[in-house]
Amino acid sequence: YMRFSSPKQAEGDSLRRQTEGRDAYCQRKKLELAKTLSLADLGVSAWKGDNAATGALAEFLGHCKTGAVPKGSFLVIEHLDRLTRQHVRQALTLFFQILDAGVTRAYSSLTA
């Protein structure tokens, strides 16, 4: 999952950096990247949770619930702030919602 906050950031390096980080992480951990579902919130702020409420992250969660994303799948993100920038309580709720949907782990592509 990739996200950046404003359309102006599309002119910068965010998408390339996140894509390369994701690919390197998957290679390092020997994870197969799903080609059928590539979701990104490009120009969507995570301060208010719009990405999780109506954006591509919400679509991902919906796919988890319907089984389109198999249980045990991984969610690879560059950093926690790509997922959310909300306060801790909302961030934890979102994180647990992802885990409860059957995603085994959410990983940062630049760590571990």
Side-chain angles (χ1 to χ4, degrees):
Y1 171 75
M2 291 178 272
R3 186 196 66 76
F4 53 79
S5 298
S6 70
K8 182 154 178 64
Q9 287 177 301
E11 300 168 15
D13 195 41
S14 188
L15 188 58
R16 182 208 56 81
R17 186 189 69 240
Q18 290 181 63
T19 301
E20 287 181 6
R22 175 204 64 202
D23 293 347
Y25 182 84
C26 288
Q27 183 177 19
R28 199 167 58 245
K29 295 296 183 176
K30 298 184 180 6
L31 298 174
E32 182 181 346
L33 186 63
K35 304 289 187 208
T36 57
L37 186 63
S38 179
L39 298 173
D41 281 313
L42 308 181
V44 178
S45 175
W47 280 108
K48 295 180 183 175
D50 293 343
N51 60 327
T54 60
L57 186 57
E59 186 178 345
F60 173 78
L61 291 169
H63 287 304
C64 289
K65 291 175 185 171
T66 65
V69 173
K71 291 195 183 303
S73 294
F74 291 71
L75 176 62
V76 180
I77 57 174
E78 178 185 46
H79 191 272
L80 184 58
D81 69 356
R82 299 300 90 202
L83 193 62
T84 184
R85 287 186 174 261
Q86 293 184 289
H87 292 285
V88 172
R89 182 176 296 276
Q90 290 91 351
L92 284 172
T93 300
L94 174 60
F95 192 72
F96 286 128
Q97 184 181 4
I98 291 167
L99 294 176
D100 290 345
V103 176
T104 300
R105 294 182 181 100
Y107 276 115
S108 167
S109 63
L110 299 181
T111 62

